[in-house]
Amino acid sequence: MANLTSMSGPPTQDMQGRGGVGGGGLTGKRAYPQYPNQTPMSGPPLPGQMAGQPQPAGSQPGPTAGVPNDTYGQQRPQQIPNAQSYAQSPNQYENSLSGGMGKLNIQQGDTRPLNLLQNRHVLPSTPVEPPKPNLSPEYRKLVCNPDIFRTTLTSIPQTQQLLNKSKLPLGILIHPFKDLTHLPVIQSSVIVRCRSCRTYINPFVQFVDHRRWKCNLCYRINDLPDEFNFDPVTRTYGEPQRRPEIKSSTIEFIAPSEYMLRPPQPATYLFMFDVCFNAVESGYLSVACQVLLEELDKLPGDARTMIGFVTFDSTLHFYNLQEGLSRPSMMVVSDIDDIFLPCPNDLLVNLQESKELIQELLTQLPSMFSGNKETQSALGPALQSALKLMSPIGGRVTVFQSSLPSHGPGTLKSREDMSQRTNSKDIPNLGPATDFYKKMSLDCSAQQISVDLFLFANNYIDIASLSCVSKFSGGCVNYYPAFHTVRTPAEVERFENDFRRYLTRKIGFEAVMRIRCTKGLSIHTFHGNFFVRSTDLLSLPNINPDAGFAMQMSIEDSLNDSPLACFQAALLYTSSKGERRIRVHTLCLPVTNQLSEVYAGADTQGIVSLLSRMAVDRTLTATIVDARDALVNVCIDSLSAFKTTLSSGQAGVGLIGPNSLRLLPLYTLAMLKCTAFKLSSSVRLDERVFAMDMLKYHPMIYTMLMIHPTLYPVHELSDEGAISHDDQTIPQPPILSLSSEHLFKNGAYLMDRGDALYLYINREVSPNFIQSVFDVPDFQSIGEPMHELPELDNAVSDRLRNFIQYLEEKRPFHAPLHVIREDSRMRILFLRHLVEDRSESVMSYYEFLQHLQKEVGK
C-alpha cells in the first residue's frame, strides 16, 4: 500500500538539506502499462532565535516598497488609529474555541460518489477554488488567504488512524513572504506571546477575561499586558478584540531589540560574472550590465547599502571601487588553489558614495572581455572568494554562469549520456556529482549569505550539482537554456524581465522561520530552499516574495482537546531598511472524527502540490520509476479507501470517487507527463533537474501551472462576463480541458504554463481574426518566430492583448509569449501539454481511468 502516514521522531535531512521522507513518504508499489513505442499525437549564531523563553520567536518581512501598509502604534503604548471607545458587553469574552465551529459549509456534492469513467470532463470552466473550511461565520471571515497558507485537508482528522484510513497526505503549503497589497504593521514595545509555546496572540485565541487569554495551540492560560487593552485615542481600557492582532490572520510586527543578537545588517549585494569565451559569445554580459545600470537606484536598501563585483574565467578579477579613485581598479588573482582577497576592505563599497565608479565599471565590463578566448571557468574559487568577502556582514551573492566549472575546486565533468534518456527503469545523475557546492552552501548559510544562480548554457551545465549552492542557503536558481542575444530573443526577453524583477523585488536578510501547530500535531518533513537548523527552525539567509515552502505533518496524539486545529508561521528577518520584522500567519481549521468530512475538505490542488514535492524526494532517494508508481498509488489507495465507505449500491460499477477528489486522477496523469517525471528521450538532464527544483521551490499556484497548464479559447473573445482591471475590460474565456478533442480546426488557443504563454493558431481560423490580431491577410502570412502581438486599433486585438497582459501581470516573473502556427515545427511545445491525450510512453486520460478502475477493483 502507498504509505502516506507521517514519520515520527525528528526530521531527517535529505540530500538537499531538507527533511527526508524517511518512513512516511511516497512508496512505489504497482507497475502500470507503458507505451514505449507510442509517438505523440499529431497536430554563524543566528541573528534571531525562535526557541522558547527568553529568546523571542518568529520572523517578519518588511513592508513592500510602494505598497500601502497600515502601521499601528508609532508611540507607546501602542496606538490603534481611528479606535473608538470600547463598549462593554456581557458576552464580550464568549469567543471560546468551540464557537469557531459552524454549520457545515461544504457543498453536499463534495462527497457524493461520482463515476469518473462516466464523468470524464471534470475540469471546471473557471479557476479551481479551494474548499472552504467548516467554521463559524465569524471565524470564516478571519481565515488566512489560501494563496499564503493552506493545508492539504481543510478538515483535520482527529487521529492518525483516521488519517491513515483516508490514504491522503496531510501537509502545509505556505508562501510566507508573498507580495501583499494590504499588510497591517504594528510597532509596539510589547509583542504578546504564549509563555509556554511562544505562539503570537492571534484572532483564534480565547479571552478568559480582560486580563487573561488562552493559547489556541497549547491551551495555556496567559496574562494579558495592560498595554494590550489600552486605547490611546480615548485614553481608556477596553476590549482586546479591537486590536489588529485579533482582527487579522496575517500581521507584521516591527521587532524590539530583544529580537536581535547583533545590529541589523546593511543590504549587501555581490555580483559575480562569468567572463569566459562561452559567456562573452552568448551576449548575456552586456544584457545583465545594462539592466543593472538601469535598476541600480532601485536596489532595496538604504544609505548603508553595500555592493561589490567579481568577474572570473580561469582567474579571478576583483574591483576596487572606493570613493576617491578616479576610475575602477581591477586586481587579478591567478592562484585559485589558495584564494586570498586583494585589498579586502575596498571590494565592498557603499552604493551611494561610489555610484559613479560603479556605473563606469558596468558600462566598461562588456567591452573589457569582448575578445576573451579563455574557455575555462573557475566557479568554485569564485564562490570561495565570495564567502571570504561576505562573511563579516552577510548578504546576497548573485552568480552568472555559462558553462561547466572546469578549473580549480568544484570542477565538474559532463554526466549526460544520451543513450540513458530512453532508460525505462531509471534516469541516472539526478543528484549532485560532488558535495563541494553543498558544503559551500552550508558555510554560506552559517554566515547569513545566500547564493542565487543565473545559468546560461548551450550544453550540459550540471544543474543537479550547481543548484546545491542555492538550495541550502535560501537562494534561487534561474535557467536560460540556449541563451543567445541574436538566436534566442525570447530567452533574452525572459532574462531581462526576470533580472529586473530580481533586482527590485523586496528582500529579507538573516531570516529564520518556524511553524507551530496545535498540541498533538507534528511537522516532520520540509520542502523548499533552506537549511533545517534544528528540528523545526528553518534558516533563510535571504527570503524573497517568490519562494514557497511545504511541510508534511503527522498526528502524534488524538486531537480531543478542541474542535479546532491551528497553525502559525512566524518569519523573523531584517528588512532592506535595517529593521527587524516579524510576519505572522495564523490558520484555523476544524477537527473531525468523520471520514466523510475528511474527504469533503480535501484540497486537491494542495494535495497534488505536496505530492509533487514528495515525488521529487522519492526520485532522488530511489528512482524516477518508483516516484511515478508512488504517485499512481496515491490515486489507487485513496479511491479504494473511499470505496470502502460506500454501500454496495453506491459503489456500483465503474471508477467511483468523491466529488471533492474528482480532479486527482487528472492531475496525477499530468504529473506523470510533466518534464520532471516523464520518461522521454526528448528531455535533457538539466531540463529535468531544473523542473524538479522548481516543483520544490515555487508556491503552489505556479506549481500547478507547471503540472497542469490552463487552456483558453481566444478566437471568439467577447465582453460578456468580462471584468474591469486597471480601467481596462478583461475578457474571461472558459477554461478548456487539455485534450485535442476540445481544439477546433478554426480556433485559436492560449495556453498558460506559468513560465510561458503559447498562442496556438489553427490553419482554418477566421481570416478576420488573423487580420484583426496580426495585421496580415491569411494564415501563411503569420510570421515566425513571433513573441509580441502588434497594437491594432480594433476590438478583437484589444481584447486579446488585454487578456494576455492581465495573465502576465498576475505572476511575479516574466512569461514570454510564443505565437505557434499549426504547421510550425514548434507546435510540439503546445501539443505536449495536452495531457489528456495519449503521449510518448504514457496513456491517455481515459486509459488511465481504466487502469485505476482495474487496480481499485482488485
Side-chain angles (χ1 to χ4, degrees):
M1 300 293 289
N3 180 12
L4 289 168
T5 59
S6 298
M7 177 184 68
S8 61
T12 58
Q13 291 283 325
D14 67 11
M15 295 178 67
Q16 300 182 22
R18 296 159 288 198
V21 169
L26 290 163
T27 56
K29 173 183 60 172
R30 311 173 182 89
Y32 54 94
Q34 303 289 315
Y35 297 89
N37 298 319
Q38 290 291 342
T39 56
M41 294 188 66
S42 60
L46 290 174
Q49 285 289 341
M50 298 185 68
Q53 289 181 294
Q55 294 82 0
S59 159
Q60 188 93 340
T64 307
V67 174
N69 290 282
D70 295 331
T71 303
Y72 295 87
Q74 298 301 327
Q75 56 184 339
R76 299 174 59 185
Q78 176 177 323
Q79 179 180 358
I80 306 177
N82 304 320
Q84 300 175 357
S85 62
Y86 293 115
Q88 300 296 327
S89 166
N91 299 318
Q92 68 184 61
Y93 300 115
E94 294 181 5
N95 69 328
S96 64
L97 290 176
S98 60
M101 293 293 289
K103 186 177 179 181
L104 188 66
N105 184 43
I106 298 174
Q107 297 296 325
Q108 188 166 355
D110 279 350
T111 52
R112 183 186 73 245
L114 184 70
N115 189 328
L116 297 174
L117 276 167
Q118 293 179 355
N119 299 272
R120 290 189 295 118
H121 304 298
V122 294
L123 188 73
S125 60
T126 57
V128 176
E129 295 289 338
K132 292 181 171 58
N134 174 25
L135 296 170
S136 67
E138 294 78 13
Y139 274 19
R140 207 173 298 147
K141 291 186 296 184
L142 298 169
V143 168
C144 194
N145 181 348
D147 289 340
I148 298 174
F149 203 2
R150 69 202 295 171
T151 57
T152 56
L153 305 176
T154 57
S155 290
I156 305 300
Q158 192 174 74
T159 64
Q160 183 67 41
Q161 290 72 25
L162 183 60
L163 175 61
N164 293 344
K165 191 174 181 179
S166 74
K167 301 299 181 182
L168 294 173
L170 178 59
I172 291 170
L173 298 134
I174 185 166
H175 189 179
F177 206 45
K178 176 180 168 64
D179 286 324
L180 300 174
T181 56
H182 177 78
L183 178 64
V185 178
I186 298 173
Q187 183 172 353
S188 175
S189 61
V190 177
I191 296 178
V192 180
R193 301 177 63 184
C194 176
R195 291 180 56 120
S196 179
C197 69
R198 307 302 293 158
T199 293
Y200 294 80
I201 198 168
N202 61 79
F204 309 107
V205 304
Q206 175 186 356
F207 290 101
V208 180
D209 53 41
H210 69 286
R211 291 187 177 275
R212 295 180 299 163
W213 62 281
K214 185 177 181 180
C215 177
N216 54 320
L217 268 66
C218 73
Y219 312 124
R220 177 189 173 114
I221 304 296
N222 295 271
D223 293 334
L224 196 64
D226 289 342
E227 181 179 346
F228 198 80
N229 295 315
F230 185 75
D231 177 8
V233 176
T234 62
R235 311 294 296 178
T236 60
Y237 290 85
E239 295 182 20
Q241 289 91 338
R242 298 294 301 274
R243 295 278 297 206
E245 297 98 316
I246 309 302
K247 296 170 66 176
S248 178
S249 57
T250 291
I251 201 85
E252 183 154 293
F253 299 95
I254 299 176
S257 59
E258 59 261 30
Y259 286 76
M260 311 173 194
L261 291 183
R262 68 173 186 177
Q265 70 167 76
T268 306
Y269 307 105
L270 178 65
F271 295 91
M272 310 192 76
F273 297 103
D274 177 4
V275 293
C276 70
F277 175 78
N278 288 339
V280 173
E281 198 275 334
S282 72
Y284 97 83
L285 185 59
S286 59
V287 178
C289 289
Q290 183 59 42
V291 172
L292 188 48
L293 268 171
E294 294 170 2
E295 305 296 337
L296 200 58
D297 290 332
K298 298 179 184 178
L299 282 175
D302 54 17
R304 304 179 303 153
T305 301
M306 308 288 285
I307 194 169
F309 300 89
V310 176
T311 56
F312 61 94
D313 43 29
S314 62
T315 59
L316 307 186
H317 322 121
F318 298 91
Y319 298 88
N320 185 345
L321 300 169
Q322 279 294 340
E323 182 185 19
L325 293 176
S326 59
R327 57 185 304 175
S329 173
M330 183 173 76
M331 296 158 285
V332 179
V333 174
S334 57
D335 184 1
I336 61 171
D337 294 321
D338 186 16
I339 290 297
F340 71 95
L341 300 177
C343 305
N345 296 327
D346 299 330
L347 302 179
L348 286 175
V349 298
N350 183 280
L351 174 57
Q352 298 303 321
E353 294 174 355
S354 301
K355 182 180 292 186
E356 291 185 2
L357 289 174
I358 293 167
Q359 292 171 331
E360 182 178 349
L361 175 65
L362 291 173
T363 302
Q364 293 177 355
L365 272 181
S367 59
M368 285 170 59
F369 296 97
S370 60
N372 192 9
K373 302 299 182 183
E374 178 60 65
T375 59
Q376 291 189 315
S377 173
L379 174 61
L383 290 171
Q384 290 175 331
S385 71
L387 178 60
K388 285 178 177 285
L389 183 57
M390 300 283 282
S391 287
I393 305 175
R396 185 178 74 188
V397 178
T398 307
V399 178
F400 300 85
Q401 181 70 17
S402 67
S403 61
L404 269 175
S406 56
H407 196 49
T411 293
L412 298 172
K413 296 181 179 179
S414 179
R415 297 186 292 156
E416 183 167 38
D417 186 344
M418 300 288 289
S419 64
Q420 293 178 331
R421 286 189 186 178
T422 57
N423 189 336
S424 61
K425 300 296 182 183
D426 190 21
I427 306 294
N429 301 322
L430 294 174
T434 173
D435 63 357
F436 173 86
Y437 294 97
K438 177 179 178 179
K439 289 180 177 178
M440 176 61 63
S441 184
L442 297 178
D443 290 341
C444 287
S445 179
Q447 302 300 324
Q448 301 301 330
I449 301 167
S450 181
V451 181
D452 297 333
L453 294 177
F454 286 84
L455 303 176
F456 313 85
N458 289 311
N459 300 307
Y460 177 70
I461 198 172
D462 198 351
I463 294 178
S465 298
L466 295 182
S467 62
C468 289
V469 77
S470 297
K471 291 177 185 177
F472 300 108
S473 64
C476 62
V477 181
N478 302 270
Y479 179 44
Y480 307 91
F483 179 96
H484 197 279
T485 51
V486 176
R487 295 192 291 267
T488 56
E491 286 294 273
V492 175
E493 179 190 6
R494 185 162 71 94
F495 168 61
E496 284 182 342
N497 284 274
D498 288 353
F499 190 40
R500 206 176 297 277
R501 156 75 179 175
Y502 171 83
L503 292 172
T504 57
R505 70 188 180 189
K506 65 183 179 183
I507 182 172
F509 297 98
E510 49 189 356
V512 286
M513 182 169 70
R514 172 171 278 142
I515 295 183
R516 298 175 172 88
C517 47
T518 291
K519 184 172 64 176
L521 292 170
S522 173
I523 298 174
H524 63 78
T525 303
F526 303 85
H527 304 275
N529 287 5
F530 49 73
F531 178 68
V532 182
R533 195 168 290 278
S534 64
T535 55
D536 62 350
L537 184 67
L538 309 183
S539 174
L540 298 160
N542 286 180
I543 181 68
N544 72 74
D546 303 335
F549 306 89
M551 297 85 181
Q552 294 166 237
M553 290 190 297
S554 61
I555 305 170
E556 293 187 341
D557 298 311
S558 178
L559 305 177
N560 295 323
D561 294 336
S562 170
L564 299 175
C566 292
F567 310 85
Q568 188 175 87
L571 179 70
L572 172 66
Y573 85 108
T574 299
S575 76
S576 59
K577 304 296 185 183
E579 290 180 319
R580 267 321 243 176
R581 287 181 170 251
I582 312 165
R583 182 172 297 183
V584 180
H585 308 286
T586 308
L587 178 65
C588 179
L589 295 172
V591 173
T592 181
N593 58 8
Q594 299 297 314
L595 186 59
S596 60
E597 292 183 9
V598 174
Y599 282 121
D603 184 342
T604 305
Q605 290 197 335
I607 290 170
V608 169
S609 184
L610 181 63
L611 288 175
S612 68
R613 290 162 164 85
M614 295 167 67
V616 170
D617 285 353
R618 180 71 178 173
T619 298
L620 297 174
T621 57
T623 68
I624 196 168
V625 173
D626 285 337
R628 289 164 57 87
D629 288 346
L631 290 171
V632 177
N633 292 344
V634 174
C635 265
I636 295 170
D637 292 338
S638 58
L639 294 176
S640 297
F642 177 74
K643 188 175 181 180
T644 64
T645 68
L646 305 176
S647 65
S648 57
Q650 286 178 311
V653 294
L655 181 64
I656 308 299
N659 193 49
S660 58
L661 292 177
R662 66 193 183 279
L663 292 173
L664 183 58
L666 175 61
Y667 287 153
T668 300
L669 180 65
M671 282 192 284
L672 298 179
K673 296 187 178 187
C674 77
T675 302
F677 303 121
K678 68 180 178 181
L679 298 176
S680 171
S681 59
S682 63
V683 181
R684 298 189 304 166
L685 185 55
D686 276 338
E687 183 183 1
R688 184 185 301 278
V689 172
F690 180 69
M692 292 167 61
D693 288 348
M694 292 303 99
L695 288 176
K696 296 279 279 188
Y697 173 80
H698 274 317
M700 192 211 76
I701 184 173
Y702 308 121
T703 297
M704 289 309 303
L705 284 175
M706 285 180 62
I707 293 171
H708 189 275
T710 307
L711 182 65
Y712 306 94
V714 294
H715 47 281
E716 293 180 346
L717 292 177
S718 70
D719 291 338
E720 182 179 353
I723 63 173
S724 179
H725 177 75
D726 289 345
D727 297 327
Q728 290 184 330
T729 300
I730 311 298
Q732 297 293 293
I735 296 173
L736 300 179
S737 297
L738 296 175
S739 170
S740 57
E741 71 175 292
H742 297 285
L743 304 184
F744 296 102
K745 293 182 179 180
N746 62 346
Y749 301 90
L750 183 69
M751 179 182 288
D752 181 1
R753 72 165 206 191
D755 62 346
L757 296 169
Y758 299 131
L759 179 56
Y760 188 76
I761 310 297
N762 276 314
R763 188 187 304 271
E764 297 180 20
V765 72
S766 160
N768 179 61
F769 177 86
I770 294 175
Q771 183 69 53
S772 299
V773 172
F774 299 103
D775 198 23
V776 294
D778 52 40
F779 175 82
Q780 295 297 333
S781 300
I782 299 175
E784 288 188 308
M786 182 183 294
H787 303 289
E788 186 176 4
L789 298 181
E791 294 189 20
L792 304 176
D793 188 15
N794 64 77
V796 175
S797 175
D798 287 342
R799 291 191 188 106
L800 181 53
R801 287 186 292 104
N802 288 346
F803 182 58
I804 291 174
Q805 182 180 356
Y806 169 74
L807 293 179
E808 289 178 334
E809 290 178 352
K810 288 173 65 176
R811 72 207 71 206
F813 47 83
H814 182 62
L817 175 68
H818 300 263
V819 178
I820 302 174
R821 292 182 353 193
E822 182 186 4
D823 60 353
S824 169
R825 292 180 300 173
M826 304 300 292
R827 66 184 181 274
I828 189 61
L829 292 176
F830 176 86
L831 296 176
R832 69 184 181 188
H833 293 292
L834 300 179
V835 298
E836 295 192 27
D837 296 340
R838 181 184 291 185
S839 63
E840 178 185 15
S841 79
V842 182
M843 59 195 80
S844 69
Y845 178 51
Y846 186 70
E847 291 169 330
F848 184 60
L849 292 176
Q850 290 178 315
H851 169 67
L852 293 179
Q853 180 189 21
K854 178 181 177 182
E855 292 295 328
V856 170
K858 286 183 178 179

